[in-house]
Amino acid sequence: MSKVNTAPIKWAQRSDSLYITIALADVKEESIDLADESLKFKGKSENKEYEVDIAFLKPVDAEGSTYKVLPRSVQMHVMKKEKDEEEFWPRLLKDKALEKNQVKVDWDRYVDEDEEEGGFDTSNLDGGMGMGGGGMPGMGGMGGMDMASMMGGMGGMGGMGGMGGAGGPGGMDMEALMKQMGDMGGGAGMDGPDSDDSDDDDLPDLEES
């Protein structure tokens, strides 16, 4: 039986959630079991078997969490259960010794508790798998982005609407343009067919002048 290795973990947090990364590339045959108090993972990377079996310091909301297997890692956005507290955890695991050996801080996503300005960028998890059948966290953020693009689209439509609204005056402008062309002489021939219908009174004056 092949040896099972312990997968390295990186983590960062916000007041309402955790971002956990299992730092293995090209993971295959993965099995991820997130419960409110623990995380169990098994998978293969570079033909080696890895596993994670950890107990969280505090309960999490497995139903509202999501994960995605990416080319260079497995990433999870795990929601904290006790959101009313809105405080940072002193560590990720109940077991301090295990945390020292297996868990590192994800400095790319780390923020100090006093400097927190918003949630995680969960764009990497678009299309990710829900854990426990819950909705994907981060959809709210994505919804905001969609709304922004929709508003942008509406703004563009508004601009077009303005142009459309100017369509009426646009017709008048065309008549003025045609008259100017008539003044220049170059457009007189072009105006011939229209002059029979709409500009009978104007064009003779132009020709006389």
Side-chain angles (χ1 to χ4, degrees), residues 32-124:
I32 299 175
D33 180 13
L34 177 71
D36 287 358
E37 297 182 354
S38 64
L39 169 65
K40 295 180 180 180
F41 161 86
K42 289 184 179 180
K44 285 186 178 181
S45 174
E46 298 177 350
N47 294 320
K48 296 178 182 179
E49 292 189 12
Y50 289 88
E51 69 177 8
V52 167
D53 189 351
I54 57 176
F56 295 117
L57 177 65
K58 297 182 180 182
V60 300
D61 179 9
E63 291 285 330
S65 302
T66 191
Y67 78 92
K68 190 171 185 181
V69 178
L70 299 170
R72 301 183 66 180
S73 63
V74 179
Q75 297 185 11
M76 309 176 193
H77 188 214
V78 180
M79 306 306 293
K80 294 179 181 178
K81 178 154 281 190
E82 299 170 358
K83 296 176 185 175
D84 294 341
E85 293 185 9
E86 292 193 352
E87 63 180 24
F88 276 30
W89 294 4
R91 61 182 188 275
L92 178 64
L93 308 183
K94 282 185 177 179
D95 188 331
K96 285 185 181 180
L98 182 62
E99 177 139 1
K100 283 185 179 180
N101 294 328
Q102 192 174 352
V103 179
K104 295 180 179 179
V105 173
D106 186 347
W107 293 110
D108 292 334
R109 294 182 175 86
Y110 173 85
V111 297
D112 189 79
E113 185 171 4
D114 298 332
E115 299 174 354
E116 180 181 9
E117 294 182 354
F120 290 108
D121 175 8
T122 58
S123 57
N124 282 348

Coordinates of all heavy atoms in Angstrom, one line a residue, residues 32-124:
I32 N -13.6 15.4 -0.9 CA -13.6 16.5 0.1 C -14.9 16.4 0.9 O -16.0 16.4 0.4 CB -13.5 17.9 -0.7 CG1 -12.2 18.0 -1.5 CG2 -13.6 19.0 0.4 CD1 -12.1 19.2 -2.3
D33 N -14.7 16.3 2.2 CA -15.8 16.2 3.1 C -15.7 17.3 4.2 O -14.9 17.2 5.1 CB -15.8 14.8 3.8 CG -17.0 14.7 4.8 OD1 -17.9 15.5 4.7 OD2 -16.9 13.7 5.6
L34 N -16.5 18.4 4.0 CA -16.5 19.5 4.9 C -17.7 19.4 5.8 O -18.8 19.3 5.4 CB -16.5 20.8 4.2 CG -16.6 22.1 5.1 CD1 -15.3 22.3 5.8 CD2 -16.9 23.3 4.3
A35 N -17.4 19.3 7.1 CA -18.5 19.3 8.1 C -18.4 20.6 8.9 O -17.4 21.4 8.7 CB -18.4 18.1 9.0
D36 N -19.3 20.8 9.8 CA -19.3 22.1 10.5 C -18.1 22.2 11.5 O -17.8 23.3 11.9 CB -20.6 22.2 11.3 CG -21.8 22.6 10.4 OD1 -21.6 22.7 9.2 OD2 -22.9 22.7 10.9
E37 N -17.5 21.1 11.8 CA -16.4 21.1 12.7 C -15.1 20.6 12.2 O -14.1 20.6 12.9 CB -16.8 20.4 14.0 CG -17.9 21.1 14.8 CD -18.3 20.4 16.1 OE1 -17.7 19.3 16.3 OE2 -19.1 20.9 16.8
S38 N -15.1 20.0 10.9 CA -13.9 19.4 10.4 C -13.8 19.4 8.9 O -14.8 19.7 8.2 CB -13.9 17.9 10.9 OG -15.0 17.2 10.3
L39 N -12.6 19.1 8.4 CA -12.4 19.0 7.0 C -11.6 17.8 6.7 O -10.5 17.6 7.3 CB -11.7 20.3 6.5 CG -11.1 20.2 5.0 CD1 -12.3 20.1 4.0 CD2 -10.3 21.4 4.7
K40 N -12.1 16.9 5.8 CA -11.3 15.8 5.4 C -11.2 15.8 3.9 O -12.1 16.1 3.1 CB -12.1 14.5 5.8 CG -12.2 14.3 7.3 CD -12.9 13.0 7.7 CE -13.0 12.9 9.2 NZ -13.7 11.6 9.6
F41 N -9.9 15.6 3.4 CA -9.6 15.6 2.0 C -8.7 14.4 1.7 O -7.8 14.1 2.4 CB -8.9 16.9 1.7 CG -8.1 16.9 0.4 CD1 -8.8 17.2 -0.8 CD2 -6.8 16.6 0.4 CE1 -8.1 17.1 -2.0 CE2 -6.1 16.5 -0.8 CZ -6.7 16.8 -2.0
K42 N -9.0 13.8 0.5 CA -8.1 12.8 -0.1 C -8.0 13.1 -1.6 O -8.9 13.5 -2.2 CB -8.6 11.4 0.2 CG -8.5 10.9 1.6 CD -9.0 9.5 1.7 CE -8.9 9.0 3.2 NZ -9.3 7.6 3.3
G43 N -6.8 12.9 -2.1 CA -6.6 13.1 -3.5 C -5.2 12.7 -3.9 O -4.3 12.5 -3.1
K44 N -5.0 12.7 -5.3 CA -3.7 12.4 -5.8 C -3.1 13.6 -6.5 O -3.8 14.3 -7.2 CB -3.8 11.2 -6.8 CG -4.0 9.9 -6.2 CD -4.0 8.8 -7.2 CE -4.1 7.4 -6.6 NZ -4.1 6.3 -7.6
S45 N -1.8 13.8 -6.3 CA -1.0 14.8 -7.0 C 0.3 14.3 -7.4 O 1.1 13.8 -6.5 CB -0.9 16.1 -6.1 OG -0.1 17.0 -6.7
E46 N 0.7 14.4 -8.7 CA 1.9 13.8 -9.2 C 2.1 12.4 -8.7 O 3.2 12.0 -8.3 CB 3.1 14.7 -8.7 CG 3.0 16.1 -9.2 CD 4.1 17.0 -8.7 OE1 4.8 16.6 -7.8 OE2 4.2 18.1 -9.2
N47 N 1.0 11.6 -8.9 CA 1.0 10.2 -8.6 C 1.3 9.8 -7.1 O 1.7 8.7 -6.8 CB 2.0 9.4 -9.5 CG 1.6 9.5 -10.9 OD1 0.5 9.3 -11.3 ND2 2.6 9.7 -11.8
K48 N 1.2 10.8 -6.2 CA 1.3 10.5 -4.8 C -0.1 10.8 -4.1 O -0.8 11.7 -4.5 CB 2.3 11.5 -4.2 CG 3.7 11.2 -4.7 CD 4.7 12.2 -4.0 CE 6.1 12.0 -4.6 NZ 7.1 13.0 -4.0
E49 N -0.4 10.0 -3.1 CA -1.6 10.2 -2.4 C -1.4 11.2 -1.2 O -0.4 11.1 -0.5 CB -2.1 8.8 -1.9 CG -2.5 7.9 -3.0 CD -3.2 6.7 -2.5 OE1 -3.6 6.7 -1.3 OE2 -3.4 5.7 -3.2
Y50 N -2.4 12.1 -1.1 CA -2.4 13.0 0.0 C -3.7 13.0 0.8 O -4.7 12.6 0.2 CB -2.1 14.4 -0.6 CG -0.8 14.7 -1.1 CD1 -0.4 14.4 -2.4 CD2 0.2 15.2 -0.3 CE1 0.8 14.6 -2.9 CE2 1.5 15.5 -0.7 CZ 1.8 15.1 -2.1 OH 3.1 15.4 -2.5
E51 N -3.7 13.5 2.0 CA -4.9 13.6 2.7 C -4.8 14.8 3.7 O -3.7 15.3 4.0 CB -5.2 12.3 3.5 CG -4.2 12.1 4.7 CD -4.6 10.8 5.5 OE1 -5.5 10.1 5.0 OE2 -3.9 10.6 6.5
V52 N -6.0 15.2 4.1 CA -6.1 16.2 5.2 C -7.2 15.8 6.1 O -8.2 15.3 5.7 CB -6.5 17.6 4.6 CG1 -6.9 18.6 5.7 CG2 -5.3 18.2 3.8
D53 N -6.9 15.9 7.4 CA -8.0 15.5 8.4 C -7.8 16.5 9.6 O -7.0 16.2 10.5 CB -7.8 14.1 8.9 CG -9.0 13.6 9.7 OD1 -9.8 14.4 10.1 OD2 -9.1 12.4 10.0
I54 N -8.6 17.5 9.6 CA -8.4 18.6 10.6 C -9.7 18.9 11.3 O -10.8 18.7 10.7 CB -7.8 19.9 9.9 CG1 -8.7 20.4 8.8 CG2 -6.4 19.7 9.4 CD1 -8.3 21.7 8.2
A55 N -9.6 19.4 12.5 CA -10.7 19.9 13.2 C -10.6 21.4 13.4 O -9.5 21.9 13.9 CB -10.8 19.2 14.6
F56 N -11.6 22.1 13.0 CA -11.6 23.6 13.1 C -11.6 24.1 14.6 O -12.2 23.4 15.5 CB -12.7 24.2 12.4 CG -12.7 24.0 10.9 CD1 -13.6 23.3 10.2 CD2 -11.6 24.5 10.1 CE1 -13.6 23.0 8.9 CE2 -11.5 24.3 8.8 CZ -12.5 23.5 8.1
L57 N -11.0 25.2 14.8 CA -11.1 25.8 16.2 C -12.5 26.1 16.6 O -12.9 25.9 17.7 CB -10.2 27.1 16.2 CG -10.2 27.9 17.5 CD1 -9.5 27.1 18.6 CD2 -9.5 29.2 17.3
K58 N -13.3 26.6 15.6 CA -14.7 26.9 15.9 C -15.6 26.4 14.8 O -15.1 26.1 13.7 CB -14.9 28.5 16.0 CG -14.1 29.1 17.2 CD -14.4 30.6 17.2 CE -13.6 31.3 18.3 NZ -14.0 32.7 18.4
P59 N -16.9 26.3 15.0 CA -17.7 25.7 13.9 C -17.8 26.6 12.7 O -17.7 27.8 12.7 CB -19.1 25.7 14.6 CG -18.9 25.7 16.1 CD -17.6 26.5 16.2
V60 N -18.0 25.9 11.5 CA -18.1 26.6 10.3 C -19.5 26.3 9.7 O -20.2 25.3 10.2 CB -17.0 26.3 9.3 CG1 -15.7 26.6 9.8 CG2 -17.1 24.8 8.9
D61 N -19.9 27.0 8.6 CA -21.2 26.7 7.9 C -20.9 25.9 6.7 O -20.6 26.5 5.6 CB -21.9 28.0 7.6 CG -23.2 27.8 6.9 OD1 -23.6 26.7 6.8 OD2 -23.8 28.8 6.4
A62 N -20.9 24.6 6.8 CA -20.6 23.7 5.6 C -21.5 23.9 4.5 O -21.2 23.9 3.3 CB -20.6 22.3 6.1
E63 N -22.8 24.2 4.8 CA -23.8 24.3 3.8 C -23.6 25.6 2.9 O -23.9 25.6 1.7 CB -25.2 24.5 4.4 CG -25.7 23.2 5.1 CD -26.2 22.2 4.1 OE1 -26.7 22.6 3.0 OE2 -26.1 21.0 4.4
G64 N -23.0 26.6 3.5 CA -22.8 27.8 2.7 C -21.4 28.0 2.1 O -21.1 29.1 1.7
S65 N -20.7 26.9 2.1 CA -19.3 27.0 1.6 C -19.1 26.3 0.3 O -20.0 25.6 -0.2 CB -18.4 26.3 2.6 OG -18.5 26.9 3.9
T66 N -18.0 26.7 -0.4 CA -17.8 26.1 -1.7 C -16.3 25.9 -1.9 O -15.5 26.4 -1.2 CB -18.3 27.1 -2.8 OG1 -18.3 26.5 -4.1 CG2 -17.4 28.4 -2.8
Y67 N -16.0 25.0 -3.0 CA -14.6 24.7 -3.3 C -14.5 24.6 -4.8 O -15.4 24.3 -5.5 CB -14.1 23.5 -2.5 CG -14.6 22.2 -3.2 CD1 -13.8 21.5 -4.1 CD2 -15.8 21.6 -2.8 CE1 -14.2 20.3 -4.7 CE2 -16.2 20.4 -3.4 CZ -15.4 19.8 -4.3 OH -15.8 18.6 -4.9
K68 N -13.2 24.6 -5.2 CA -12.9 24.3 -6.6 C -11.5 23.8 -6.8 O -10.6 24.3 -6.1 CB -13.1 25.6 -7.5 CG -13.0 25.4 -9.0 CD -13.4 26.6 -9.8 CE -13.4 26.3 -11.3 NZ -13.8 27.5 -12.1
V69 N -11.4 22.8 -7.6 CA -10.1 22.2 -7.9 C -9.5 23.0 -9.1 O -10.0 23.0 -10.2 CB -10.2 20.7 -8.3 CG1 -8.8 20.1 -8.6 CG2 -10.8 19.9 -7.1
L70 N -8.4 23.7 -8.8 CA -7.7 24.5 -9.8 C -6.4 23.8 -10.2 O -5.9 22.9 -9.5 CB -7.4 25.9 -9.2 CG -8.6 26.7 -8.8 CD1 -8.2 27.9 -8.0 CD2 -9.4 27.1 -10.0
P71 N -5.8 24.2 -11.3 CA -4.6 23.5 -11.8 C -3.4 23.5 -10.7 O -2.7 22.5 -10.7 CB -4.1 24.4 -13.0 CG -5.4 25.0 -13.5 CD -6.2 25.3 -12.2
R72 N -3.3 24.5 -9.9 CA -2.2 24.5 -9.0 C -2.6 24.3 -7.5 O -1.7 24.3 -6.6 CB -1.4 25.8 -9.1 CG -0.9 26.0 -10.5 CD -0.1 27.3 -10.7 NE 1.1 27.3 -9.9 CZ 2.0 28.2 -9.8 NH1 1.8 29.3 -10.5 NH2 3.1 28.1 -9.1
S73 N -3.9 24.2 -7.2 CA -4.3 24.0 -5.8 C -5.8 23.7 -5.8 O -6.5 23.7 -6.8 CB -4.0 25.3 -5.0 OG -4.8 26.4 -5.6
V74 N -6.2 23.3 -4.6 CA -7.6 23.2 -4.3 C -8.0 24.3 -3.3 O -7.4 24.5 -2.3 CB -8.0 21.8 -3.6 CG1 -9.5 21.7 -3.3 CG2 -7.6 20.7 -4.5
Q75 N -9.0 25.2 -3.7 CA -9.3 26.3 -2.9 C -10.7 26.3 -2.4 O -11.6 25.8 -3.1 CB -9.1 27.6 -3.8 CG -7.6 27.8 -4.2 CD -7.4 29.1 -4.9 OE1 -8.2 30.0 -5.0 NE2 -6.2 29.2 -5.5
M76 N -10.9 26.7 -1.2 CA -12.2 26.6 -0.5 C -12.5 28.0 0.1 O -11.6 28.6 0.8 CB -12.2 25.6 0.6 CG -11.7 24.2 0.1 SD -11.6 23.0 1.5 CE -10.6 21.8 0.7
H77 N -13.7 28.4 0.0 CA -14.3 29.6 0.7 C -15.2 29.0 1.7 O -16.3 28.6 1.4 CB -14.9 30.5 -0.3 CG -15.3 31.8 0.3 ND1 -16.5 32.5 0.0 CD2 -14.8 32.6 1.3 CE1 -16.6 33.6 0.7 NE2 -15.5 33.7 1.5
V78 N -14.8 29.0 3.0 CA -15.6 28.4 4.1 C -16.2 29.5 4.9 O -15.5 30.4 5.5 CB -14.7 27.5 4.9 CG1 -15.5 26.8 6.0 CG2 -14.1 26.4 4.0
M79 N -17.5 29.5 5.1 CA -18.2 30.5 5.9 C -18.1 30.1 7.4 O -18.3 29.0 7.8 CB -19.6 30.6 5.4 CG -19.8 30.9 4.0 SD -18.9 32.3 3.3 CE -19.7 33.6 4.2
K80 N -17.9 31.1 8.2 CA -17.9 30.9 9.7 C -19.4 30.8 10.1 O -20.2 31.5 9.6 CB -17.2 32.1 10.4 CG -15.7 32.2 10.1 CD -15.2 33.4 10.9 CE -13.7 33.6 10.6 NZ -13.1 34.8 11.3
K81 N -19.6 30.0 11.1 CA -21.0 29.8 11.6 C -21.4 30.9 12.5 O -22.5 31.5 12.4 CB -21.1 28.5 12.3 CG -22.5 28.2 12.9 CD -22.9 26.8 13.0 CE -23.3 26.2 11.7 NZ -23.8 24.8 11.8
E82 N -20.4 31.3 13.4 CA -20.8 32.4 14.4 C -20.4 33.8 13.8 O -19.5 34.4 14.2 CB -20.0 32.1 15.7 CG -20.3 30.7 16.3 CD -19.4 30.3 17.4 OE1 -18.4 31.1 17.7 OE2 -19.6 29.3 18.0
K83 N -21.3 34.2 12.9 CA -21.0 35.4 12.2 C -21.3 36.7 13.1 O -20.8 37.7 12.8 CB -21.8 35.5 10.9 CG -21.4 34.5 9.9 CD -22.3 34.5 8.7 CE -21.9 33.4 7.7 NZ -22.9 33.3 6.5
D84 N -22.1 36.4 14.1 CA -22.5 37.6 14.9 C -21.3 38.1 15.7 O -21.3 39.3 16.1 CB -23.6 37.1 15.9 CG -24.9 36.8 15.2 OD1 -25.1 37.3 14.1 OD2 -25.8 36.1 15.8
E85 N -20.3 37.2 15.9 CA -19.2 37.6 16.7 C -18.3 38.6 15.9 O -17.7 39.5 16.5 CB -18.3 36.4 17.1 CG -19.0 35.5 18.1 CD -18.1 34.4 18.6 OE1 -16.9 34.4 18.2 OE2 -18.6 33.5 19.2
E86 N -18.2 38.4 14.6 CA -17.4 39.2 13.7 C -16.0 39.5 14.3 O -15.6 40.6 14.3 CB -18.2 40.5 13.4 CG -19.4 40.4 12.6 CD -19.9 41.7 12.0 OE1 -19.4 42.7 12.4 OE2 -20.8 41.6 11.2
E87 N -15.4 38.4 14.7 CA -14.0 38.5 15.1 C -13.1 37.5 14.5 O -13.6 36.5 14.0 CB -14.0 38.4 16.7 CG -14.4 37.0 17.1 CD -14.3 36.8 18.6 OE1 -14.4 37.9 19.3 OE2 -14.1 35.7 19.1
F88 N -11.8 37.8 14.4 CA -10.9 36.9 13.8 C -10.5 35.8 14.7 O -10.5 36.0 15.9 CB -9.6 37.7 13.4 CG -9.7 38.4 12.1 CD1 -10.9 38.9 11.6 CD2 -8.6 38.6 11.3 CE1 -11.0 39.5 10.4 CE2 -8.6 39.2 10.1 CZ -9.9 39.7 9.6
W89 N -10.3 34.6 14.2 CA -9.9 33.5 15.0 C -8.4 33.6 15.2 O -7.6 34.0 14.4 CB -10.1 32.1 14.2 CG -11.5 31.8 13.9 CD1 -12.6 32.5 14.2 CD2 -12.0 30.6 13.3 NE1 -13.8 31.9 13.8 CE2 -13.4 30.7 13.3 CE3 -11.4 29.4 12.8 CZ2 -14.2 29.7 12.7 CZ3 -12.1 28.4 12.2 CH2 -13.5 28.5 12.2
P90 N -7.9 33.2 16.5 CA -6.5 33.2 16.7 C -5.7 32.2 15.9 O -4.5 32.4 15.7 CB -6.4 32.9 18.2 CG -7.7 32.3 18.6 CD -8.8 32.8 17.6
R91 N -6.4 31.1 15.5 CA -5.7 30.1 14.7 C -6.8 29.3 14.0 O -8.0 29.5 14.2 CB -4.8 29.2 15.5 CG -5.6 28.4 16.6 CD -4.6 27.5 17.4 NE -5.3 26.6 18.3 CZ -5.7 27.0 19.5 NH1 -5.5 28.2 20.0 NH2 -6.4 26.1 20.3
L92 N -6.5 28.4 13.0 CA -7.4 27.7 12.2 C -7.9 26.4 12.9 O -9.0 26.0 12.9 CB -6.8 27.3 10.9 CG -7.7 26.5 9.9 CD1 -8.9 27.2 9.5 CD2 -6.9 26.1 8.7
L93 N -7.0 25.7 13.6 CA -7.2 24.4 14.1 C -7.3 24.3 15.6 O -6.8 25.2 16.3 CB -6.1 23.4 13.7 CG -5.8 23.3 12.2 CD1 -4.8 22.2 12.0 CD2 -7.0 23.1 11.4
K94 N -8.1 23.4 16.1 CA -8.1 23.1 17.6 C -6.7 22.7 18.1 O -6.3 23.1 19.2 CB -9.1 22.1 17.9 CG -10.6 22.5 17.9 CD -11.5 21.4 18.4 CE -12.9 22.0 18.5 NZ -13.9 20.9 18.9
D95 N -6.0 21.9 17.3 CA -4.8 21.3 17.7 C -3.6 22.2 17.3 O -3.3 22.4 16.1 CB -4.6 19.9 17.0 CG -3.4 19.2 17.5 OD1 -2.4 19.8 17.9 OD2 -3.4 17.9 17.4
K96 N -3.0 22.9 18.3 CA -1.9 23.8 18.0 C -0.7 23.2 17.4 O -0.1 23.7 16.5 CB -1.5 24.5 19.3 CG -2.5 25.6 19.9 CD -1.8 26.2 21.1 CE -2.8 27.3 21.7 NZ -2.2 27.9 22.9
A97 N -0.4 22.0 17.9 CA 0.8 21.3 17.3 C 0.6 20.9 15.9 O 1.5 21.1 15.1 CB 1.1 20.0 18.2
L98 N -0.6 20.4 15.5 CA -0.9 20.1 14.1 C -0.8 21.3 13.3 O -0.3 21.3 12.1 CB -2.2 19.4 14.0 CG -2.7 18.9 12.7 CD1 -1.7 17.9 12.1 CD2 -4.1 18.4 12.7
E99 N -1.3 22.4 13.8 CA -1.3 23.7 13.0 C 0.1 24.1 12.7 O 0.4 24.6 11.6 CB -2.1 24.8 13.8 CG -2.1 26.1 13.0 CD -3.4 26.8 13.1 OE1 -4.4 26.3 13.7 OE2 -3.5 27.9 12.5
K100 N 1.0 24.0 13.6 CA 2.4 24.4 13.4 C 3.0 23.6 12.3 O 3.8 24.1 11.5 CB 3.2 24.3 14.7 CG 3.0 25.4 15.7 CD 3.9 25.2 16.9 CE 3.7 26.3 17.9 NZ 4.5 26.2 19.1
N101 N 2.7 22.3 12.3 CA 3.3 21.4 11.3 C 2.7 21.4 9.9 O 3.3 21.2 8.9 CB 3.3 20.0 11.8 CG 4.1 19.8 13.1 OD1 5.2 20.5 13.2 ND2 3.7 18.9 14.0
Q102 N 1.4 21.7 9.9 CA 0.6 21.5 8.6 C 0.1 22.8 8.0 O -0.2 22.8 6.8 CB -0.5 20.5 8.9 CG -1.2 20.0 7.6 CD -2.2 18.9 7.9 OE1 -2.3 18.4 9.1 NE2 -3.0 18.5 6.9
V103 N -0.1 23.8 8.8 CA -0.8 25.0 8.3 C 0.1 26.2 8.3 O 0.8 26.5 9.2 CB -2.1 25.3 9.2 CG1 -2.8 26.5 8.7 CG2 -3.0 24.1 9.2
K104 N 0.0 26.9 7.2 CA 0.7 28.2 7.0 C -0.3 29.3 6.7 O -1.4 29.1 6.2 CB 1.8 28.1 5.9 CG 2.9 27.1 6.2 CD 3.9 27.1 5.0 CE 5.0 26.1 5.3 NZ 6.0 26.1 4.2
V105 N 0.1 30.5 7.0 CA -0.7 31.7 6.7 C -0.6 32.0 5.2 O 0.5 32.0 4.6 CB -0.3 32.9 7.5 CG1 -1.0 34.2 7.0 CG2 -0.5 32.7 9.0
D106 N -1.7 32.2 4.5 CA -1.8 32.6 3.1 C -1.5 34.1 3.1 O -2.5 34.9 3.1 CB -3.1 32.2 2.5 CG -3.2 32.5 1.0 OD1 -2.3 33.2 0.5 OD2 -4.1 32.0 0.4
W107 N -0.3 34.5 2.9 CA 0.0 36.0 3.0 C -0.5 36.7 1.8 O -0.7 38.0 1.9 CB 1.6 36.1 3.1 CG 2.1 35.6 4.4 CD1 2.9 34.5 4.6 CD2 1.9 36.2 5.7 NE1 3.2 34.4 5.9 CE2 2.6 35.3 6.6 CE3 1.2 37.3 6.2 CZ2 2.7 35.6 8.0 CZ3 1.2 37.5 7.6 CH2 1.9 36.7 8.5
D108 N -0.8 36.1 0.7 CA -1.4 36.8 -0.4 C -2.8 37.3 -0.1 O -3.3 38.3 -0.7 CB -1.4 35.9 -1.7 CG -0.1 35.5 -2.2 OD1 0.9 36.4 -2.0 OD2 0.1 34.5 -2.8
R109 N -3.5 36.6 0.8 CA -4.9 37.0 1.1 C -5.0 37.5 2.5 O -6.1 37.9 2.9 CB -5.8 35.8 0.9 CG -5.9 35.3 -0.5 CD -6.9 34.1 -0.7 NE -7.1 33.8 -2.1 CZ -6.3 32.9 -2.7 NH1 -5.3 32.3 -2.1 NH2 -6.5 32.6 -4.0
Y110 N -3.9 37.6 3.2 CA -4.0 38.0 4.6 C -4.3 39.5 4.8 O -3.8 40.3 4.0 CB -2.6 37.7 5.3 CG -2.5 38.2 6.7 CD1 -3.0 37.5 7.8 CD2 -1.9 39.4 7.0 CE1 -2.9 38.0 9.1 CE2 -1.8 39.9 8.2 CZ -2.3 39.2 9.3 OH -2.2 39.7 10.6
V111 N -5.1 39.8 5.7 CA -5.3 41.2 6.2 C -5.3 41.2 7.7 O -5.8 40.2 8.3 CB -6.5 41.9 5.6 CG1 -6.5 42.0 4.1 CG2 -7.8 41.2 6.0
D112 N -4.9 42.3 8.2 CA -5.0 42.4 9.7 C -6.4 42.7 10.1 O -7.2 43.4 9.3 CB -4.1 43.6 10.2 CG -4.0 43.7 11.7 OD1 -3.2 42.9 12.2 OD2 -4.7 44.5 12.3
E113 N -6.8 42.3 11.2 CA -8.2 42.5 11.6 C -8.6 43.9 11.6 O -9.8 44.3 11.3 CB -8.4 41.9 13.0 CG -9.9 41.9 13.5 CD -10.1 41.1 14.8 OE1 -9.1 40.6 15.4 OE2 -11.2 41.0 15.2
D114 N -7.7 44.8 12.0 CA -8.0 46.2 12.0 C -8.1 46.9 10.6 O -8.5 48.0 10.5 CB -7.0 47.0 12.9 CG -7.0 46.5 14.3 OD1 -8.0 46.1 14.8 OD2 -5.9 46.5 15.0
E115 N -7.6 46.1 9.6 CA -7.5 46.7 8.3 C -8.5 46.1 7.3 O -8.4 46.3 6.1 CB -6.1 46.6 7.7 CG -5.1 47.3 8.6 CD -3.7 47.0 8.1 OE1 -3.5 46.2 7.2 OE2 -2.7 47.6 8.7
E116 N -9.4 45.2 7.8 CA -10.3 44.5 7.0 C -11.3 45.5 6.3 O -11.9 46.3 6.9 CB -11.1 43.5 7.7 CG -12.1 42.8 6.9 CD -13.0 41.7 7.7 OE1 -12.9 41.8 8.9 OE2 -13.7 41.0 7.1
E117 N -11.3 45.5 5.0 CA -12.2 46.4 4.2 C -13.3 45.7 3.4 O -14.2 46.3 2.9 CB -11.4 47.2 3.2 CG -10.4 48.2 4.0 CD -9.6 49.0 3.0 OE1 -9.7 48.8 1.8 OE2 -8.9 49.9 3.4
G118 N -13.2 44.4 3.3 CA -14.2 43.6 2.5 C -13.9 42.1 2.5 O -12.9 41.7 3.1
G119 N -14.7 41.4 1.9 CA -14.5 39.9 1.8 C -13.4 39.5 0.8 O -12.8 40.3 0.2
F120 N -13.3 38.2 0.7 CA -12.3 37.7 -0.2 C -12.7 37.9 -1.7 O -13.9 37.9 -2.0 CB -12.1 36.2 0.0 CG -11.5 35.8 1.3 CD1 -12.2 35.3 2.4 CD2 -10.1 36.1 1.5 CE1 -11.5 35.0 3.6 CE2 -9.5 35.8 2.7 CZ -10.2 35.2 3.7
D121 N -11.8 37.9 -2.6 CA -12.0 37.8 -4.0 C -12.2 36.4 -4.3 O -11.3 35.6 -4.3 CB -10.8 38.4 -4.8 CG -11.0 38.2 -6.3 OD1 -12.1 37.8 -6.7 OD2 -10.0 38.5 -7.0
T122 N -13.5 36.0 -4.6 CA -13.8 34.6 -4.9 C -13.9 34.3 -6.4 O -14.5 33.3 -6.7 CB -15.1 34.2 -4.1 OG1 -16.1 35.0 -4.6 CG2 -14.9 34.3 -2.6
S123 N -13.3 35.2 -7.2 CA -13.5 34.9 -8.6 C -12.9 33.6 -9.1 O -13.3 33.0 -10.1 CB -12.9 36.1 -9.4 OG -11.5 36.3 -9.1
N124 N -11.8 33.1 -8.4 CA -11.2 31.9 -8.7 C -12.2 30.7 -8.5 O -12.1 29.6 -9.1 CB -10.0 31.6 -7.8 CG -8.8 32.3 -8.2 OD1 -8.8 32.9 -9.3 ND2 -7.8 32.4 -7.4

